[in-house]
Amino acid sequence: MIHASTPAFIDFEASSLDLIASYPIEVGVCLPDGAVYSWLIRPHVLWHDWSESAEAIHGIPRPVLMEKGHTVHQVAGYLNNLLTGQVFCDAWTFDSFWLHRLFRAAEMQPGFQLESISLLLNPAQVRRWTPARQKVIAELGLPVHRAANDARILQTTWQLVTAADQDHSDPLHNH
């Protein structure tokens, strides 16, 4: 189900989870209409951090980024061309760090505002999130820890947890 208030979602994969040295290696977005885009990001000349354990999770070797990745300037431009207003993520601390690192390296400013998905959810929806996400992952059959797939999973999970409230909408019965 797609409705007018469906937001855009974004997800990053990174070189590691080190919030000082890590950098984005892939970004994926899922637009309100369900269109999905993603790009591998060629590491900037000053980016050297690399975690073998992170690579084992996302499955993207650094040599592939060097060969097939887009420049930081290209990727920042692609994001600014696609996104406006608020764009939502599920790991704001990490995603905002990687977004800032990408745009700083590109010497650009994002034309959109990154927000936590928690701003979209009421307490009942937060409680339903994890089981709904597991259901969505099973139903979609998409590998996780790839940016485009994770952005699609975010949108589909959000639709599932919010549809439950719309299907049982009773303005007098809010949790």
Side-chain angles (χ1 to χ4, degrees):
M1 176 179 80
I2 298 172
H3 49 83
S5 61
T6 299
F9 293 92
I10 191 168
D11 185 72
F12 286 92
E13 298 303 321
S15 63
S16 75
L17 293 180
D18 181 323
L19 276 181
I20 294 174
S22 68
Y23 52 88
I25 64 165
E26 184 181 44
V27 61
V29 296
C30 187
L31 299 180
D33 66 1
V36 176
Y37 298 86
S38 69
W39 302 274
L40 293 175
I41 303 166
R42 185 178 314 134
H44 185 272
V45 66
L46 299 177
W47 295 350
H48 302 289
D49 174 69
W50 193 258
S51 164
E52 298 294 331
S53 59
E55 181 180 330
I57 292 169
H58 53 63
I60 305 168
R62 198 169 196 277
V64 168
L65 297 174
M66 300 307 290
E67 179 185 336
K68 297 184 177 177
H70 298 260
T71 68
V72 293
H73 192 268
Q74 287 173 319
V75 175
Y78 299 152
L79 291 173
N80 276 347
N81 287 336
L82 276 177
L83 303 170
T84 60
Q86 294 181 320
V87 179
F88 293 88
C89 63
D90 66 348
W92 189 87
T93 300
F94 288 99
D95 291 328
S96 63
F97 176 79
W98 295 321
L99 179 75
H100 176 75
R101 178 145 286 181
L102 172 69
F103 275 84
R104 183 167 182 177
E107 298 179 347
M108 296 171 65
Q109 292 295 319
F112 57 94
Q113 183 178 348
L114 187 66
E115 296 288 357
S116 172
I117 196 167
S118 64
L119 296 179
L120 298 174
L121 305 174
N122 65 38
Q125 293 166 338
V126 170
R127 286 190 297 275
R128 292 195 299 266
W129 184 266
T130 299
R133 183 176 181 275
Q134 294 307 317
K135 179 180 179 187
V136 165
I137 290 168
E139 288 178 358
L140 292 179
L142 296 173
V144 295
H145 302 298
R146 288 304 301 263
N149 293 349
D150 288 355
R152 162 83 70 216
I153 290 165
L154 278 174
Q155 183 188 71
T156 307
T157 303
W158 176 83
Q159 289 170 333
L160 184 62
V161 300
T162 59
D165 290 342
Q166 292 166 4
D167 293 344
H168 304 95
S169 59
D170 175 358
L172 300 176
H173 186 68
N174 290 330
H175 299 335

PDB file of all heavy atoms in Angstrom, residues 120-144:
ATOM      1  N   LEU A 120       8.621   9.068  13.188  1.00  0.00           N
ATOM      2  CA  LEU A 120       7.407   8.689  12.469  1.00  0.00           C
ATOM      3  C   LEU A 120       6.537   7.708  13.240  1.00  0.00           C
ATOM      4  O   LEU A 120       5.428   7.402  12.808  1.00  0.00           O
ATOM      5  CB  LEU A 120       7.774   8.019  11.133  1.00  0.00           C
ATOM      6  CG  LEU A 120       8.531   8.833  10.112  1.00  0.00           C
ATOM      7  CD1 LEU A 120       8.925   7.947   8.928  1.00  0.00           C
ATOM      8  CD2 LEU A 120       7.687  10.007   9.646  1.00  0.00           C
ATOM      9  N   LEU A 121       7.052   7.184  14.345  1.00  0.00           N
ATOM     10  CA  LEU A 121       6.392   6.065  15.013  1.00  0.00           C
ATOM     11  C   LEU A 121       5.854   6.446  16.386  1.00  0.00           C
ATOM     12  O   LEU A 121       6.536   7.122  17.159  1.00  0.00           O
ATOM     13  CB  LEU A 121       7.385   4.906  15.179  1.00  0.00           C
ATOM     14  CG  LEU A 121       8.065   4.399  13.907  1.00  0.00           C
ATOM     15  CD1 LEU A 121       9.117   3.349  14.258  1.00  0.00           C
ATOM     16  CD2 LEU A 121       7.044   3.846  12.923  1.00  0.00           C
ATOM     17  N   ASN A 122       4.656   5.964  16.679  1.00  0.00           N
ATOM     18  CA  ASN A 122       4.129   6.107  18.039  1.00  0.00           C
ATOM     19  C   ASN A 122       4.594   4.896  18.859  1.00  0.00           C
ATOM     20  O   ASN A 122       5.173   3.951  18.297  1.00  0.00           O
ATOM     21  CB  ASN A 122       2.601   6.268  18.010  1.00  0.00           C
ATOM     22  CG  ASN A 122       1.884   5.039  17.484  1.00  0.00           C
ATOM     23  OD1 ASN A 122       2.256   3.903  17.754  1.00  0.00           O
ATOM     24  ND2 ASN A 122       0.819   5.263  16.717  1.00  0.00           N
ATOM     25  N   PRO A 123       4.366   4.895  20.173  1.00  0.00           N
ATOM     26  CA  PRO A 123       4.878   3.775  20.990  1.00  0.00           C
ATOM     27  C   PRO A 123       4.382   2.400  20.556  1.00  0.00           C
ATOM     28  O   PRO A 123       5.144   1.430  20.585  1.00  0.00           O
ATOM     29  CB  PRO A 123       4.390   4.127  22.400  1.00  0.00           C
ATOM     30  CG  PRO A 123       4.319   5.628  22.389  1.00  0.00           C
ATOM     31  CD  PRO A 123       3.843   5.988  21.002  1.00  0.00           C
ATOM     32  N   ALA A 124       3.141   2.290  20.131  1.00  0.00           N
ATOM     33  CA  ALA A 124       2.630   0.986  19.678  1.00  0.00           C
ATOM     34  C   ALA A 124       3.350   0.534  18.414  1.00  0.00           C
ATOM     35  O   ALA A 124       3.671  -0.653  18.252  1.00  0.00           O
ATOM     36  CB  ALA A 124       1.120   1.073  19.433  1.00  0.00           C
ATOM     37  N   GLN A 125       3.629   1.480  17.518  1.00  0.00           N
ATOM     38  CA  GLN A 125       4.343   1.145  16.286  1.00  0.00           C
ATOM     39  C   GLN A 125       5.783   0.749  16.590  1.00  0.00           C
ATOM     40  O   GLN A 125       6.316  -0.165  15.954  1.00  0.00           O
ATOM     41  CB  GLN A 125       4.290   2.327  15.320  1.00  0.00           C
ATOM     42  CG  GLN A 125       2.893   2.602  14.799  1.00  0.00           C
ATOM     43  CD  GLN A 125       2.763   3.946  14.132  1.00  0.00           C
ATOM     44  OE1 GLN A 125       3.557   4.861  14.368  1.00  0.00           O
ATOM     45  NE2 GLN A 125       1.750   4.099  13.298  1.00  0.00           N
ATOM     46  N   VAL A 126       6.409   1.400  17.545  1.00  0.00           N
ATOM     47  CA  VAL A 126       7.767   1.028  17.952  1.00  0.00           C
ATOM     48  C   VAL A 126       7.779  -0.422  18.443  1.00  0.00           C
ATOM     49  O   VAL A 126       8.661  -1.205  18.088  1.00  0.00           O
ATOM     50  CB  VAL A 126       8.315   1.994  19.032  1.00  0.00           C
ATOM     51  CG1 VAL A 126       9.608   1.467  19.636  1.00  0.00           C
ATOM     52  CG2 VAL A 126       8.515   3.389  18.450  1.00  0.00           C
ATOM     53  N   ARG A 127       6.775  -0.796  19.229  1.00  0.00           N
ATOM     54  CA  ARG A 127       6.701  -2.169  19.743  1.00  0.00           C
ATOM     55  C   ARG A 127       6.507  -3.174  18.620  1.00  0.00           C
ATOM     56  O   ARG A 127       6.993  -4.301  18.694  1.00  0.00           O
ATOM     57  CB  ARG A 127       5.575  -2.296  20.774  1.00  0.00           C
ATOM     58  CG  ARG A 127       5.902  -1.651  22.107  1.00  0.00           C
ATOM     59  CD  ARG A 127       4.876  -2.014  23.176  1.00  0.00           C
ATOM     60  NE  ARG A 127       3.528  -1.522  22.868  1.00  0.00           N
ATOM     61  CZ  ARG A 127       3.096  -0.284  23.166  1.00  0.00           C
ATOM     62  NH1 ARG A 127       3.895   0.575  23.744  1.00  0.00           N
ATOM     63  NH2 ARG A 127       1.861   0.071  22.860  1.00  0.00           N
ATOM     64  N   ARG A 128       5.797  -2.790  17.572  1.00  0.00           N
ATOM     65  CA  ARG A 128       5.546  -3.707  16.448  1.00  0.00           C
ATOM     66  C   ARG A 128       6.702  -3.739  15.449  1.00  0.00           C
ATOM     67  O   ARG A 128       6.732  -4.597  14.566  1.00  0.00           O
ATOM     68  CB  ARG A 128       4.266  -3.285  15.707  1.00  0.00           C
ATOM     69  CG  ARG A 128       3.006  -3.464  16.507  1.00  0.00           C
ATOM     70  CD  ARG A 128       1.757  -3.396  15.639  1.00  0.00           C
ATOM     71  NE  ARG A 128       1.577  -2.135  14.945  1.00  0.00           N
ATOM     72  CZ  ARG A 128       0.857  -1.099  15.385  1.00  0.00           C
ATOM     73  NH1 ARG A 128       0.258  -1.174  16.553  1.00  0.00           N
ATOM     74  NH2 ARG A 128       0.728   0.003  14.672  1.00  0.00           N
ATOM     75  N   TRP A 129       7.643  -2.805  15.560  1.00  0.00           N
ATOM     76  CA  TRP A 129       8.661  -2.637  14.519  1.00  0.00           C
ATOM     77  C   TRP A 129       9.497  -3.900  14.284  1.00  0.00           C
ATOM     78  O   TRP A 129       9.613  -4.370  13.155  1.00  0.00           O
ATOM     79  CB  TRP A 129       9.586  -1.454  14.848  1.00  0.00           C
ATOM     80  CG  TRP A 129      10.563  -1.212  13.748  1.00  0.00           C
ATOM     81  CD1 TRP A 129      11.832  -1.700  13.635  1.00  0.00           C
ATOM     82  CD2 TRP A 129      10.323  -0.471  12.551  1.00  0.00           C
ATOM     83  NE1 TRP A 129      12.410  -1.293  12.465  1.00  0.00           N
ATOM     84  CE2 TRP A 129      11.502  -0.533  11.783  1.00  0.00           C
ATOM     85  CE3 TRP A 129       9.230   0.250  12.069  1.00  0.00           C
ATOM     86  CZ2 TRP A 129      11.612   0.098  10.543  1.00  0.00           C
ATOM     87  CZ3 TRP A 129       9.352   0.883  10.835  1.00  0.00           C
ATOM     88  CH2 TRP A 129      10.527   0.798  10.091  1.00  0.00           C
ATOM     89  N   THR A 130      10.118  -4.435  15.324  1.00  0.00           N
ATOM     90  CA  THR A 130      11.048  -5.551  15.134  1.00  0.00           C
ATOM     91  C   THR A 130      10.360  -6.787  14.554  1.00  0.00           C
ATOM     92  O   THR A 130      10.854  -7.349  13.567  1.00  0.00           O
ATOM     93  CB  THR A 130      11.806  -5.863  16.436  1.00  0.00           C
ATOM     94  OG1 THR A 130      12.557  -4.693  16.792  1.00  0.00           O
ATOM     95  CG2 THR A 130      12.758  -7.042  16.271  1.00  0.00           C
ATOM     96  N   PRO A 131       9.208  -7.219  15.097  1.00  0.00           N
ATOM     97  CA  PRO A 131       8.562  -8.378  14.460  1.00  0.00           C
ATOM     98  C   PRO A 131       8.090  -8.067  13.038  1.00  0.00           C
ATOM     99  O   PRO A 131       8.161  -8.928  12.160  1.00  0.00           O
ATOM    100  CB  PRO A 131       7.385  -8.707  15.380  1.00  0.00           C
ATOM    101  CG  PRO A 131       7.293  -7.615  16.372  1.00  0.00           C
ATOM    102  CD  PRO A 131       8.562  -6.839  16.346  1.00  0.00           C
ATOM    103  N   ALA A 132       7.645  -6.846  12.797  1.00  0.00           N
ATOM    104  CA  ALA A 132       7.205  -6.473  11.442  1.00  0.00           C
ATOM    105  C   ALA A 132       8.399  -6.506  10.490  1.00  0.00           C
ATOM    106  O   ALA A 132       8.285  -6.988   9.357  1.00  0.00           O
ATOM    107  CB  ALA A 132       6.556  -5.091  11.455  1.00  0.00           C
ATOM    108  N   ARG A 133       9.547  -6.003  10.943  1.00  0.00           N
ATOM    109  CA  ARG A 133      10.741  -5.998  10.096  1.00  0.00           C
ATOM    110  C   ARG A 133      11.150  -7.430   9.741  1.00  0.00           C
ATOM    111  O   ARG A 133      11.495  -7.717   8.590  1.00  0.00           O
ATOM    112  CB  ARG A 133      11.884  -5.263  10.801  1.00  0.00           C
ATOM    113  CG  ARG A 133      13.146  -5.156   9.961  1.00  0.00           C
ATOM    114  CD  ARG A 133      14.219  -4.315  10.686  1.00  0.00           C
ATOM    115  NE  ARG A 133      15.402  -4.204   9.877  1.00  0.00           N
ATOM    116  CZ  ARG A 133      16.389  -5.108   9.850  1.00  0.00           C
ATOM    117  NH1 ARG A 133      16.320  -6.193  10.607  1.00  0.00           N
ATOM    118  NH2 ARG A 133      17.445  -4.926   9.070  1.00  0.00           N
ATOM    119  N   GLN A 134      11.113  -8.320  10.723  1.00  0.00           N
ATOM    120  CA  GLN A 134      11.476  -9.715  10.451  1.00  0.00           C
ATOM    121  C   GLN A 134      10.519 -10.340   9.438  1.00  0.00           C
ATOM    122  O   GLN A 134      10.940 -11.084   8.543  1.00  0.00           O
ATOM    123  CB  GLN A 134      11.495 -10.531  11.748  1.00  0.00           C
ATOM    124  CG  GLN A 134      12.595 -10.106  12.715  1.00  0.00           C
ATOM    125  CD  GLN A 134      13.972 -10.086  12.070  1.00  0.00           C
ATOM    126  OE1 GLN A 134      14.347 -10.987  11.329  1.00  0.00           O
ATOM    127  NE2 GLN A 134      14.739  -9.034  12.337  1.00  0.00           N
ATOM    128  N   LYS A 135       9.234 -10.025   9.556  1.00  0.00           N
ATOM    129  CA  LYS A 135       8.235 -10.520   8.606  1.00  0.00           C
ATOM    130  C   LYS A 135       8.523  -9.979   7.209  1.00  0.00           C
ATOM    131  O   LYS A 135       8.474 -10.726   6.220  1.00  0.00           O
ATOM    132  CB  LYS A 135       6.831 -10.107   9.067  1.00  0.00           C
ATOM    133  CG  LYS A 135       5.732 -10.555   8.151  1.00  0.00           C
ATOM    134  CD  LYS A 135       4.369 -10.120   8.656  1.00  0.00           C
ATOM    135  CE  LYS A 135       3.309 -10.581   7.660  1.00  0.00           C
ATOM    136  NZ  LYS A 135       1.989 -10.070   7.967  1.00  0.00           N
ATOM    137  N   VAL A 136       8.825  -8.688   7.097  1.00  0.00           N
ATOM    138  CA  VAL A 136       9.113  -8.057   5.804  1.00  0.00           C
ATOM    139  C   VAL A 136      10.355  -8.687   5.171  1.00  0.00           C
ATOM    140  O   VAL A 136      10.359  -9.004   3.976  1.00  0.00           O
ATOM    141  CB  VAL A 136       9.290  -6.529   5.974  1.00  0.00           C
ATOM    142  CG1 VAL A 136       9.946  -5.900   4.756  1.00  0.00           C
ATOM    143  CG2 VAL A 136       7.936  -5.880   6.258  1.00  0.00           C
ATOM    144  N   ILE A 137      11.399  -8.887   5.962  1.00  0.00           N
ATOM    145  CA  ILE A 137      12.627  -9.498   5.438  1.00  0.00           C
ATOM    146  C   ILE A 137      12.323 -10.894   4.890  1.00  0.00           C
ATOM    147  O   ILE A 137      12.761 -11.254   3.793  1.00  0.00           O
ATOM    148  CB  ILE A 137      13.729  -9.545   6.518  1.00  0.00           C
ATOM    149  CG1 ILE A 137      14.226  -8.120   6.799  1.00  0.00           C
ATOM    150  CG2 ILE A 137      14.879 -10.454   6.106  1.00  0.00           C
ATOM    151  CD1 ILE A 137      15.104  -8.002   8.040  1.00  0.00           C
ATOM    152  N   ALA A 138      11.538 -11.671   5.646  1.00  0.00           N
ATOM    153  CA  ALA A 138      11.186 -13.022   5.201  1.00  0.00           C
ATOM    154  C   ALA A 138      10.340 -12.980   3.925  1.00  0.00           C
ATOM    155  O   ALA A 138      10.569 -13.756   2.991  1.00  0.00           O
ATOM    156  CB  ALA A 138      10.446 -13.766   6.314  1.00  0.00           C
ATOM    157  N   GLU A 139       9.368 -12.061   3.878  1.00  0.00           N
ATOM    158  CA  GLU A 139       8.475 -11.995   2.720  1.00  0.00           C
ATOM    159  C   GLU A 139       9.169 -11.462   1.470  1.00  0.00           C
ATOM    160  O   GLU A 139       8.937 -11.956   0.367  1.00  0.00           O
ATOM    161  CB  GLU A 139       7.247 -11.135   3.044  1.00  0.00           C
ATOM    162  CG  GLU A 139       6.287 -11.827   3.993  1.00  0.00           C
ATOM    163  CD  GLU A 139       5.090 -10.963   4.359  1.00  0.00           C
ATOM    164  OE1 GLU A 139       4.996  -9.792   3.920  1.00  0.00           O
ATOM    165  OE2 GLU A 139       4.245 -11.472   5.118  1.00  0.00           O
ATOM    166  N   LEU A 140      10.006 -10.441   1.629  1.00  0.00           N
ATOM    167  CA  LEU A 140      10.683  -9.871   0.469  1.00  0.00           C
ATOM    168  C   LEU A 140      11.824 -10.759  -0.020  1.00  0.00           C
ATOM    169  O   LEU A 140      12.173 -10.741  -1.196  1.00  0.00           O
ATOM    170  CB  LEU A 140      11.224  -8.474   0.780  1.00  0.00           C
ATOM    171  CG  LEU A 140      10.195  -7.369   1.019  1.00  0.00           C
ATOM    172  CD1 LEU A 140      10.887  -6.051   1.331  1.00  0.00           C
ATOM    173  CD2 LEU A 140       9.270  -7.218  -0.180  1.00  0.00           C
ATOM    174  N   GLY A 141      12.430 -11.506   0.910  1.00  0.00           N
ATOM    175  CA  GLY A 141      13.523 -12.389   0.539  1.00  0.00           C
ATOM    176  C   GLY A 141      14.773 -11.658   0.084  1.00  0.00           C
ATOM    177  O   GLY A 141      15.566 -12.208  -0.679  1.00  0.00           O
ATOM    178  N   LEU A 142      14.935 -10.411   0.524  1.00  0.00           N
ATOM    179  CA  LEU A 142      16.104  -9.623   0.123  1.00  0.00           C
ATOM    180  C   LEU A 142      17.246  -9.813   1.120  1.00  0.00           C
ATOM    181  O   LEU A 142      17.013  -9.811   2.327  1.00  0.00           O
ATOM    182  CB  LEU A 142      15.747  -8.131   0.092  1.00  0.00           C
ATOM    183  CG  LEU A 142      14.702  -7.688  -0.914  1.00  0.00           C
ATOM    184  CD1 LEU A 142      14.339  -6.224  -0.683  1.00  0.00           C
ATOM    185  CD2 LEU A 142      15.217  -7.899  -2.328  1.00  0.00           C
ATOM    186  N   PRO A 143      18.468  -9.944   0.626  1.00  0.00           N
ATOM    187  CA  PRO A 143      19.602  -9.977   1.547  1.00  0.00           C
ATOM    188  C   PRO A 143      19.706  -8.645   2.291  1.00  0.00           C
ATOM    189  O   PRO A 143      19.543  -7.580   1.687  1.00  0.00           O
ATOM    190  CB  PRO A 143      20.820 -10.172   0.633  1.00  0.00           C
ATOM    191  CG  PRO A 143      20.268 -10.615  -0.682  1.00  0.00           C
ATOM    192  CD  PRO A 143      18.870 -10.095  -0.767  1.00  0.00           C
ATOM    193  N   VAL A 144      19.937  -8.703   3.601  1.00  0.00           N
ATOM    194  CA  VAL A 144      20.111  -7.480   4.387  1.00  0.00           C
ATOM    195  C   VAL A 144      21.569  -7.027   4.315  1.00  0.00           C
ATOM    196  O   VAL A 144      22.432  -7.747   3.825  1.00  0.00           O
ATOM    197  CB  VAL A 144      19.661  -7.663   5.854  1.00  0.00           C
ATOM    198  CG1 VAL A 144      18.160  -7.931   5.914  1.00  0.00           C
ATOM    199  CG2 VAL A 144      20.428  -8.787   6.527  1.00  0.00           C
TER     200      VAL A 144
END
